[in-house]
Every structure is written in C-alpha cells, then in structure tokens.
Amino acid sequence: MKTLPIVGSYQREDCQFLLELVEAKYLSIEEKEKAIQSGTVHYSDVLNKEAAPSEDYQALFYQFVEDYKYKFSKHVMELASTLDKNRRGDITLLSLARAGTPIGVLLKRALEEHYNRKVQHFSVSIIRDRGLDLNALDYLVEDLNVNQESIAFIDGWTAKGVITRELYQSINTYNAENNTRIPNELYVISDCGGWADYSATAEDYPIPSSMLNSTVSGLISRSIWQPRESNKFHGCSKYKELSEVDCSNWFVDQISSLFPYVKIKEVGEIFQPTSQQLRSSQQSSMKRFIDDIMCRYGISDVNHIKPGVAEATRVMLRRVPELLIIRSMKSEKVQHLITLAKEKNVNISVETSLLFEACALIKQLKK
C-alpha cells in the first residue's frame, strides 16, 4: 500500500484519516443535486465547496454546545465504558468519516485518560452503495498488522440503518475473502432506528457536532470514491480556507474537559448489546414512519427522506431541501434547523405527532 494516512486539523495523536488528498470536482449544491438525481454521477464522485457558517448559525452552534455538552460527554463516557469492557488489550477505533470522526477523537481520549487503555484512532470512508474503503482495511491488517479483534467501528448516529448495513456487508465480505476476524460491531452515540450494536441513547437530540460540516471534523471534506483496484484510499479535500472558523479542536476540548465530572450508568446496564427485541421494534417503527412519509408526500426514493435531528441538519447544510418537518417550533432541539430553513427559504411543516424531533425531505429536481 503506497497511500499513507493524512492529518486534518486535529493533532496526529487524536486522529489519522485513512484518506488521500485529491483534486476534487466541485459543483454548487444545486448542480450536484441535479447531477446525482439525473444519474450522471454518484454522490461520492463530486463535492460542493463548503462555506463558512453565518454568524447567527455559528452563534447557535456555540449555544448548543453549551446546552448539550454535559449530556453529550456523558454519552461518550458511556460508550467508552462499553468499549473498555468489550475489548481486551490495545484498541483500534475506526470512525466513519465524517460524522463519526469527532466521536472517535473523544472516545480515544476517554479510554486513554480514564480507563488507562492504549488506543489508536483512524477515520475511514464508507459510502452508500459502494461500501467501506477496503484498501484502508488492507493498510491496517497488512501494513500496520493491527490486532484485528481490537477494531471497533464508531459513528455519530444511525437512523434508517443504510450505512450500518453497508458496514456489515463490507466487513462480512472482507472477512470471508481474506480469512480475517474483524468485528462488524457499530458503536454510536444515538440510535433512534434500532440498527447499531451499541448506543448510548435512542433519544433524537441535537448532537452538537452534527450541526457543522468540515469545521467540526478536522477540515476534511466528504469522502470521494476511488476504486478498490486503484490500491488507494478513498479521496478527500482539505478546506484550509476555513481554518479561521475551524472548531474541531475547540469542540473536542470542550467535551473532554467534562469527562472527570460526568456520572454514567452502571456498566452492567450499558455494555450489553441492544436487545434484538428492542432493535426489531425500533426498526418496525422506522419502517412505518418511512412508508407513511413516502405515501403522504409522493416520494419514490427512500434516500430523499432523512429522519432525526442530525440527518435533517445534514440535508439543510449540503443538499437541496424541499421541506423541513418538525414537532414544534418552540422546541430547543430544532432551533438551528429553523435558522437554516429561514436562511435557505425552505418551508417548515409542524406535525405534533412526528416520530422524531425533525425530518427533512430532499427536493426532487427536474432532470
């Protein structure tokens, strides 16, 4: 493997990205959406140039960090406690770029500082319809010779389970083809759809790092697909021009500073995987919700429905939204979404019986 890890704006000891800096093809958000929906490109073939958040939105991010940092740090520590019990010896965290990246940084700190564990953290690309970057796994297994059973996959949240299923399929195939023993378990902060193996909560709440793009993820772009036969990691860009508004290190410092003070559940309550009965119930509720939205709004592509605060935020930031659906205009959990909707002139619908705090619908553009 000729490709080597890169470092974003984090310290090298916090995170190494198993990605390759490449010359990206940039389109505007609208151009990208049209190209994706027309089928001329896959979403992982192009990027839109990220802009700095507005002053109002950045201020709201800081407020959300203040409001939710204790809850979030508690959830990180609970996941760290679970990993401490589930892994013997050294631990290798593989966060799914980019939503999982800040979580991986925080878990590494928690495990090292409060559980006295030796931890490596790498962030890897996973792409819907194209799977996990298997060249990144080759690098870990063949070049670094990591203990395969030490690996744990980390993400911020899961809802419909699309990326979770991609992960399972990629790892199961890789293990079968290479006679490896990499666990396919997924650890997340919030799992409101019943797909993760381990989660700190099922609550749909605004994980602060979900509110920003690269400026809370080491200034690294979304990943760009590169084929397996290239023997290269998936690609990315680094948004150096956003360094003045980069919150990546500030954010993880804010959260990790609270680790000594949070009170977590008893380990026995959390280190068992989510029961299959509960997961099945959550998955059934999610399916009914998606089917209802597709029927009521005439949506034919399930990928155009993004349930939950975090997923809705991603739509508002980097896709072309058609509609934002929320439970209440007064809920503190969705004020940043309301701000984004107003900035982008997106209609808001209030449905008090909504299964989640929020759901965003991607606009169907004319081909």
Side-chain angles (χ1 to χ4, degrees):
M1 177 70 66
K2 295 181 180 180
T3 307
L4 295 173
I6 63 170
V7 177
S9 61
Y10 295 113
Q11 298 299 311
R12 179 173 291 274
E13 58 268 24
D14 274 332
C15 178
Q16 296 181 60
F17 291 87
L18 300 184
L19 293 166
E20 180 187 22
L21 291 172
V22 298
E23 289 293 328
K25 180 180 180 181
Y26 290 106
L27 299 176
S28 70
I29 291 178
E30 292 76 15
E31 290 170 337
K32 184 182 74 171
E33 194 67 53
K34 287 180 180 178
I36 292 170
Q37 292 189 24
S38 69
T40 56
V41 300
H42 188 269
Y43 79 88
S44 63
D45 295 328
V46 294
L47 295 173
N48 60 275
K49 200 76 170 176
E50 292 182 13
S54 69
E55 290 186 8
D56 287 346
Y57 190 78
Q58 187 77 9
L60 200 53
F61 165 73
Y62 288 129
Q63 185 61 53
F64 268 61
V65 172
E66 184 63 31
D67 292 344
Y68 288 98
K69 64 183 180 182
Y70 183 86
K71 173 185 283 192
F72 182 58
S73 62
K74 175 176 178 287
H75 288 155
V76 172
M77 283 293 283
E78 287 176 352
L79 272 193
S81 177
T82 303
L83 282 159
D84 178 54
K85 295 298 179 182
N86 286 355
R87 291 292 183 275
R88 296 181 179 179
D90 298 351
I91 299 174
T92 303
L93 300 177
L94 294 189
S95 62
L96 303 182
R98 292 180 300 182
T101 307
I103 316 302
V105 173
L106 289 165
L107 285 171
K108 182 178 189 292
R109 291 186 179 187
L111 286 162
E112 288 181 336
E113 296 170 11
H114 299 280
Y115 293 94
N116 198 30
R117 302 298 297 271
K118 186 176 180 181
V119 185
Q120 297 181 92
H121 171 220
F122 301 93
S123 200
V124 301
S125 167
I126 188 167
I127 296 171
R128 190 189 75 230
D129 306 324
R130 290 177 168 175
L132 190 71
D133 185 352
L134 301 185
N135 288 327
L137 293 186
D138 286 345
Y139 174 78
L140 295 170
V141 172
E142 298 172 6
D143 291 40
L144 296 190
N145 195 29
V146 301
N147 176 4
Q148 297 162 24
E149 295 177 348
S150 76
I151 291 174
F153 290 95
I154 310 298
D155 208 353
W157 58 86
T158 183
K160 292 184 297 181
V162 175
I163 292 300
T164 312
R165 293 191 291 274
E166 287 284 1
L167 176 66
Y168 290 164
Q169 182 176 340
S170 293
I171 295 302
N172 293 342
T173 301
Y174 187 86
N175 282 339
E177 292 178 350
N178 296 278
N179 195 30
T180 47
R181 304 176 307 282
I182 299 173
N184 63 6
E185 297 168 343
L186 179 65
Y187 295 76
V188 303
I189 296 295
S190 175
D191 178 16
C192 56
W195 285 100
D197 298 281
Y198 297 89
S199 65
T201 184
E203 180 186 355
D204 180 24
Y205 80 98
I207 294 171
S209 56
S210 72
M211 292 181 63
L212 298 174
N213 284 319
S214 65
T215 56
V216 78
S217 304
L219 292 181
I220 296 298
S221 74
R222 290 200 68 175
S223 54
I224 302 167
W225 182 72
Q226 298 201 104
R228 172 83 158 126
E229 55 270 20
S230 70
N231 291 322
K232 298 178 180 179
F233 299 148
H234 289 177
C236 70
S237 286
K238 186 174 180 179
Y239 294 116
K240 296 178 182 178
E241 67 273 17
L242 297 178
S243 59
E244 291 188 2
V245 291
D246 182 25
C247 300
S248 303
N249 288 291
W250 175 86
F251 175 70
V252 293
D253 288 344
Q254 286 286 306
I255 303 304
S256 61
S257 69
L258 293 179
F259 289 163
Y261 308 106
V262 299
K263 295 181 179 179
I264 67 172
K265 299 175 185 176
E266 292 296 323
V267 170
E269 295 181 47
I270 58 176
F271 107 126
Q272 296 297 324
T274 306
S275 72
Q276 188 55 52
Q277 182 179 3
L278 177 57
R279 292 178 69 178
S280 296
S281 174
Q282 289 178 292
Q283 290 172 16
S284 295
S285 295
M286 177 66 79
K287 185 179 185 305
R288 288 193 298 270
F289 173 79
I290 296 297
D291 289 346
D292 176 63
I293 292 291
M294 294 182 77
C295 180
R296 287 196 291 123
Y297 289 95
I299 297 172
S300 57
D301 187 344
V302 69
N303 293 315
H304 287 181
I305 303 172
K306 303 294 183 180
V309 173
E311 284 298 294
T313 304
R314 292 304 208 228
V315 171
M316 302 301 292
L317 288 173
R318 64 190 187 204
R319 301 296 295 268
V320 179
E322 172 74 32
L323 180 68
L324 173 65
I325 311 171
I326 57 177
R327 279 183 185 165
S328 169
M329 292 289 288
K330 297 180 180 180
S331 171
E332 63 176 16
K333 296 181 178 180
V334 298
Q335 292 309 305
H336 67 297
L337 290 170
I338 294 171
T339 296
L340 286 172
K342 290 179 179 178
E343 288 180 358
K344 296 173 179 287
N345 295 315
V346 175
N347 290 331
I348 301 173
S349 174
V350 176
E351 297 184 13
T352 57
S353 61
L354 195 68
L355 182 62
F356 305 100
E357 291 290 336
C359 178
L361 307 182
I362 293 174
K363 189 173 185 177
Q364 176 65 48
L365 301 178
K366 294 181 180 179
K367 297 181 180 180

